[in-house]
Amino acid sequence: NAGVTQTPKFQVLKTGQSMTLQCAQDMNHEYMSWYRQDPGMGLRLIHYSVGAGITDQGEVPNGYNVSRSTTEDFPLRLLSAAPSQTSVYFCASSYARTGGGYGYTFGSGTRLTVV
Amino acid sequence: GNSVTQMEGPVTLSEEAFLTINCTYTATGYPSLFWYVQYPGEGLQLLLKATKADDKGSNKGFEATYRKETTSFHLEKGSVQVSDSAVYFCALSLNSGYSTLTFGKGTMLLVSP
């Protein structure tokens, strides 16, 4: 089925460990983004990309790296995990163009716990 | 900057009651407005959208009207069901450039039989 696929669904890390959250979409969307969802905070944008080779920071980028080598994939890297990064992470994609009338397609999320 | 304010929840209703979830926004340009729904343990799904003033978005019995004069996009449903229990997010993106989505904090709806 077409959509946004995130892996893993659950992950427990120790403080200081590194890991990569994977995100892939098969809809040929140019625009991809990562959000984190925390209780009472809604969704906050971490990083986004408007096409292969182009990335930019969102509202809460510290502690996270991204790259976009292909249209399909947009991995999120935690270089040294901290307890403050315990959250649910969502990847989303959309058509990128002038005119913001398009909704985003979201993945099912990765629940990350840092102990 | 851009921001979205939603009424705090949870909103607790009995089945077949009328639902309103308030949403107001501020934007640096001309936005499109969205409602997303998140069912327990799942990602967000687009529920409805409106791209210009006075547009009405509707889906699954839900509707919301883009009111530029009051900068609002309130979500309504005439008769809620238990299956509507979820978290609802209001969001906006600007109608120019590569606009990101700005979300409200979400409103939990609990519907009892």
Side-chain angles (χ1 to χ4, degrees), chain A residues 31 35 37 40 90 100-101 104, chain B residues 36 38 49 93 95 99-100 105:
Chain A
Y31 193 103
Y35 289 85
Q37 183 179 26
F90 289 100
Y104 286 24
Chain B
Y36 282 83
Q38 184 181 31
K49 64 183 181 185
S93 68
N95 289 338
S99 177
T100 60
K105 293 184 177 181

Side-chain angles (χ1 to χ4, degrees), chain A residues 30-31 35 37 40-45 48 50 88 90 96-109 111, chain B residues 32-34 36 38 41-46 49 51 87 89 93-106:
Chain A
E30 293 182 58
Y31 193 103
Y35 289 85
Q37 183 179 26
M41 300 295 291
L43 279 82
R44 293 181 292 170
L45 181 65
Y48 66 98
V50 299
V88 181
F90 289 100
R97 62 187 67 191
T98 298
Y102 295 89
Y104 286 24
T105 300
F106 280 81
S108 58
R111 185 175 295 274
Chain B
S32 289
L33 302 173
F34 306 85
Y36 282 83
Q38 184 181 31
E42 298 184 10
L44 279 73
Q45 303 173 26
L46 178 64
K49 64 183 181 185
T51 60
V87 180
F89 292 91
S93 68
L94 297 182
N95 289 338
S96 62
Y98 295 111
S99 177
T100 60
L101 266 178
T102 299
F103 285 92
K105 293 184 177 181

Side-chain angles (χ1 to χ4, degrees), chain A residues 51-109:
Chain A
I54 307 170
T55 64
D56 205 347
Q57 296 180 350
E59 180 184 358
V60 288
N62 292 340
Y64 308 95
N65 282 348
V66 293
S67 60
R68 183 95 178 270
S69 56
T70 66
T71 299
E72 295 78 19
D73 300 299
F74 190 44
L76 179 71
R77 299 182 185 84
L78 285 71
L79 298 180
S80 178
S84 61
Q85 294 178 305
T86 294
S87 187
V88 181
Y89 292 85
F90 289 100
C91 180
S93 73
S94 180
Y95 292 106
R97 62 187 67 191
T98 298
Y102 295 89
Y104 286 24
T105 300
F106 280 81
S108 58

Side-chain angles (χ1 to χ4, degrees), chain B residues 71-112:
Chain B
T71 62
S72 64
F73 193 56
H74 305 322
L75 182 68
E76 296 181 337
K77 187 175 185 183
S79 177
V80 295
Q81 305 300 312
V82 173
S83 58
D84 293 327
S85 297
V87 180
Y88 292 82
F89 292 91
C90 187
L92 69 83
S93 68
L94 297 182
N95 289 338
S96 62
Y98 295 111
S99 177
T100 60
L101 266 178
T102 299
F103 285 92
K105 293 184 177 181
T107 302
M108 179 177 289
L109 171 65
L110 300 172
V111 181
S112 57

Side-chain angles (χ1 to χ4, degrees), chain A residues 6-13 19-22 87-89 108-114, chain B residues 40-42:
Chain A
Q6 289 185 238
T7 56
K9 292 190 182 299
F10 301 94
Q11 183 71 48
V12 179
L13 288 180
M19 80 160 294
T20 299
L21 280 63
Q22 301 292 344
S87 187
V88 181
Y89 292 85
S108 58
T110 295
R111 185 175 295 274
L112 175 67
T113 302
V114 183
Chain B
E42 298 184 10

